[in-house]
Amino acid sequence: MKLQRYGTLACLALAATLGLSACGSDNNEPASGASASGSAAAVDCATGTLNAQGSSAQKNAMAEWIKAYQQKCQGTTINYEPTGSGAGIQAFIAGTADFAGSDSALKPEEQPQADAKCVGGKAIHLPMVIGPVAIAYNVSGVDNLQLKPATLAKIFAGKVTKWDDAAIKADNPGATLPATTIQTVHRSDESGTTDNFTNFLSKTAEADWTLGKAKAWKAPGGTGAKGSDGVASSVKGADGSIGYMEWSFAENAGLKMSKIGNGNGEFAALTAEAAGKTIAGAEVEGQGDDLKLSIDYNTKEAGAYPIVLATYEIVCSKGLAADKLKLVKGLLGYAASAEGQNSLTDLGYAPLPETVRTKVETAVKNLS
């Protein structure tokens, strides 16, 4: 896959790595190939009200899309509540959300329940943005922290409890580490970010993380906080703390972020280019317009930052209420457009690889 763009410098660096032929500009115009003239993409305007909820990791992306769409299309009211992926899926199943935002795919037992809301169709997954997961920390006197997956697993499982533990020292030779007690911060609500982070730990540090993957946090101890913004706030407010959150929230809070060991044996910093190298290896594993992605957390790509998630909109392929269909297609069509994707580059998100973006755009057009 080829990442479309993160901003000029990031795109140029990634282009050199992935063989990208062109980079868009930084002024929210579509990337090269979005339109013959390079002008803004056409938007299918509709009137009415939409109510959606779910992933807090995509809150800032959704806010940007809603603002832009409402500026282009008068007479629309669009509400998105960042209640967490689990709550969003349940609201979709209950019929109180027109679509759900989720950082992980529907569970096998959830799929038929969601399908039941789609008369003549199925609930499908539309990846809308890639969100690298930051491991942010607040430890006085410690900069440039680096952690192997096994060490990270021991920290969050409660097996390593002091910042000067031998495991952390081994990952940070020459660093001066305090004897401060580690305070881990996790999501208190069911979360796709938690699902992806625990999936990463289970795939890369199986011997040290025996709790599997789940949207609900299962490890003992630590402090729970609601939403990615809650985790970021908790880490910022407590010396000795460490937590996982979507990249944009760590950046917005001004938090330090750890380098993470990858499958190539390197410690990779979270940058657009490094995340892009992992994204480039993602594969579409869904069928037809169901575009679930499979990400290789053990990527051996040199320089790759390995903890990334795909955030989806879960929507009915068919069976949307007549008064909602045009507005859902209008909003999600804008989100999937080159212009909509490029608008996220300054918010700490990674735009969809172009090969995926065009499939999402087509899937939105096929909604009925």
Side-chain angles (χ1 to χ4, degrees), residues 141-212:
V142 177
D143 296 306
N144 302 314
L145 183 69
Q146 49 191 34
L147 299 169
K148 292 179 180 177
T151 309
L152 196 60
K154 290 172 184 174
I155 289 171
F156 279 92
K159 299 174 183 178
V160 167
T161 59
K162 299 287 186 179
W163 279 107
D164 61 352
D165 187 275
I168 301 177
K169 284 183 175 180
D171 290 353
N172 297 272
T176 300
L177 297 165
T180 309
T181 298
I182 296 173
Q183 300 184 54
T184 59
V185 184
H186 58 265
R187 290 284 291 271
S188 60
D189 51 328
E190 287 204 0
S191 160
T193 307
T194 297
D195 195 42
N196 280 271
F197 179 53
T198 54
N199 194 25
F200 166 78
L201 294 177
S202 67
K203 294 289 178 62
T204 60
E206 187 176 1
D208 297 292
W209 184 263
T210 59
L211 298 164

Side-chain angles (χ1 to χ4, degrees), residues 50-99:
L50 283 184
N51 293 302
Q53 61 174 283
S55 164
S56 64
Q58 66 171 255
K59 178 181 76 170
N60 295 337
M62 189 59 68
E64 178 70 20
W65 290 327
I66 291 171
K67 179 182 72 174
Y69 187 79
Q70 290 180 325
Q71 286 175 345
K72 296 170 183 288
C73 303
Q74 302 301 311
T76 64
T77 301
I78 304 171
N79 304 305
Y80 182 82
E81 296 181 53
T83 54
S85 298
I89 288 170
Q90 291 308 309
F92 179 78
I93 289 172
T96 57
D98 297 312
F99 65 87

